[in-house]
Every structure is written in structure tokens, then in C-alpha cells.
Amino acid sequence: MLRIEALQAIYPRLEQCVVVTIMGAVSAELQSLGHRPNFFYLQHAMGLASSMGLGIALARPELQVVVLDGDGSVLMNLGGLTTLARYQPRNLVHVVFDNESLLSVGGFPTATSTGSDLAGIARASGVPRVASVTDLEPFAVSFAEALAADQLTTIVAKVEARGPAVFLTDLPLLENRFQFQRYLKEAKGTERSER
Amino acid sequence: MPVSLTNSRLIYDSLKACNIRLLSALPETWLVHLIRMAEDDPEVALVRLAKEEEGVGISAGAHLAGVKSAMLMQNHGFLASINGIVSLAHLYKIPLVMLISYRGEFGERDPWQTQGGGVTESLLQTLGIPYRFLEHPDHVATRIGKAQALAESALKPVALLLCRDLMWEE
């Protein structure tokens, strides 16, 4: 499956969620589908998107948080998986797009290309719901189930190592940051119950 | 263990007075009482970390979501957090209140702490992070309050160095 197709499949549901993405291709592809004020793109600090998602989820349990992560980023903060599992926020869905490479910086292979199993690591860390998918339809189903589950879920989605032609967008980092904070300030917290 | 319970309580109460409601922490000897106080406090969410840099992400998320937080770490934890501080907190103008136990300073008897002690202040200066010492009970409450005020107004990390004279009773 292509990551852009996976993003398209869940894009309508993301409207009701607080979304934190990693840098590079994930950020550029989600923006290409249409930026929303409830999307935050962490354009650096590899590994910390899941930690940011945890901070938001703990601070605002009434909001549904979605982290769109990647294999390279998760590998940089494997300990963060154990912290997620430790606090198990019910309002967090952690999607890991695993293309087995550092696509945004030359496509060099990550350790998932030689067998490291992020779903297995998440499970062994204590994440209560873990799904591993390789095709589009099961991915969309897993994501919908995770939103409905009311339990921390990590979905590892194997995707092809193909990304957008360009990574730069016309959204300045700080505009994104302050718009996102404003969205969270005004969010009423009905998003979870009404999704 | 001669970590000052009285002064730990003073620090903790000062954090609470600033409306800090989330504390991330990775234990070290000088922080034991502070962490236990957070454990016993239903008004504060204690997030135990695997590595201190996670705390930068957690505090960033909490800030954007409207919750005030602080980070408890040893100075070696600060060293381990520097990429997150630069590429998240500085890049995105995120306030951080970092309480850093200043090991390896005058009076340190553990040889393994001395190298980190020698670079802590120069790294804070290089990173442009404002910092003050917490070394006497008289100024703990005001310095914590002022540190948080600056972090919030400047939207940047600030550090309070927890010093031996405050934390350790010999």
C-alpha cells in the first residue's frame, strides 16, 4: 500500500481528531490532502511526535488524539513506546507507517528492513491493542476500530518506500504551531463522544 | 538518605503554586522526595520517562493543550534532552520549566558525576537558556515563580539548577 492512499482512507475521520505527524513525507502528504487547524506537523525532533501525542492525550482526555509516526522515528524513541504503554491513554491512536527506510533522507534502510518488528516491540512494551497491516482495506478497518476501541492502540502499517516529489510546504512552522494551539484552546471536547 | 525533605517540599509546593499540573521525571537521588510527592498527589499527573528527552515532547504537547508542566531531571538528563530542546522547544517556541539537579559541582563525592557538572552551565549558556540556582530556601518560591513567568512570556525553555546546599543535608 502507498502511504498517501492510507492517509486518504482515514482523512475524513481525522477531521474529528487532534493529529500530530512526524516530519518529511508524512507531513507533506497529509498537507497535500488539505491542511486543517487540528493537524500539527513536527518537522524535526525525530522520535518525539509520540511523546507530544502523549502529552496532549494526558492533558486533554476528552479529545481523540492520533499520532502519525514512522519506523525511523519510532526507532529513535523506542523507550517512548514503553512510556505510552505505561500510561495507556484511552484517547490515543498511534499509527506507525513502516516503509523500512529513512525515505526523506535518501531512502537508506532502517532496522525494520532486516526484521525488527515494531508491532512486536509495541506489544512487548505493553501497548494493549496492536495491529499489523499491509493492505489498504485492513488498515482503514483497523483505524476505525482503534477510534472506537477506547483503548491505546498502535497500528503498524507497512507501506511502500515512496513519497511526495517535494517535502516543503507553504505552511510556516510557527503558523502551524499557534493555529494548532488555538484549535486546542477552543476545542470543546465533544469530539470523542461524537465521532 | 540525607536529601532534604523540607526543601523538597518547598520546591514541590512552589511548583503547585504556579499551577503546574503535570511533572515528567526520571529518578535520581536528589529528586526522590519530589517524585514521591508527585506520586501521592492526585492533582498532579506524574509521567515517568524512559529517557529525559521524551519529557520535552510531553511538555510541548501539554503546553499546546493548555496544561502547565515541569520537568525533573539530573544534569545528565538535560544533556540527553538537548536535541529535543533545540529541535522542538526552540524551533517551535515552547516554554519548558526544567528543574535540573546540579550534580558534579563543589562538594560532589561521586567521581562519575563530575564530568557532567563541568559542562552544565556552559551548555545552558550556549543554548541561550536562562537559568538561576536554587541554593537557599529563601528564594525557592520566588525563583520558581519567576522562571515559569519568563518561560511562558518568552515561549522558551528556562532552567533552575537544584544545588547541593539546598538539596543535601550532611
Side-chain angles (χ1 to χ4, degrees), chain A residues 83-114:
Chain A
T83 308
L84 283 184
R86 190 167 197 168
Y87 295 96
Q88 301 200 8
R90 294 174 171 275
N91 56 332
L92 181 59
V93 176
H94 181 212
V95 176
V96 182
F97 291 118
D98 181 4
N99 59 15
E100 303 184 357
S101 82
L102 293 162
L103 182 68
S104 304
V105 286
F108 296 100
T110 67
T112 65
S113 74
T114 51

Side-chain angles (χ1 to χ4, degrees), chain A residues 40-45 48 51-52 54-56 58-60 77 79-80 82-83 86-87 173-174 177-178 180-181 184, chain B residues 22 46-50 53-54 56-58 60-67 83-84 87-88 91-95 155:
Chain A
F40 178 79
Y41 316 98
L42 181 57
Q43 299 288 10
H44 213 310
L48 293 187
S51 302
M52 271 192 80
L54 176 61
I56 297 168
L58 293 175
R60 300 288 295 276
N77 187 12
T82 66
T83 308
R86 190 167 197 168
Y87 295 96
L173 275 58
L174 291 179
R177 173 245 190 269
F178 286 107
F180 183 70
Q181 184 177 24
L184 286 171
Chain B
L22 188 150
L46 172 66
V47 183
R48 301 166 194 272
L49 306 171
E53 191 186 18
E54 295 172 57
V56 178
I58 289 165
H63 171 72
L64 297 178
V67 168
N83 182 53
S87 65
L88 204 175
L91 187 64
Y92 283 97
K93 294 188 75 70
I94 301 290
L155 298 176

Side-chain angles (χ1 to χ4, degrees), chain B residues 13-34:
Chain B
D13 289 346
S14 303
L15 292 169
K16 287 289 293 286
C18 296
N19 284 320
I20 282 165
R21 292 296 176 265
L22 188 150
L23 272 176
S24 68
L26 208 133
E28 86 109 12
T29 305
W30 291 10
L31 302 175
V32 289
H33 295 312
L34 286 165

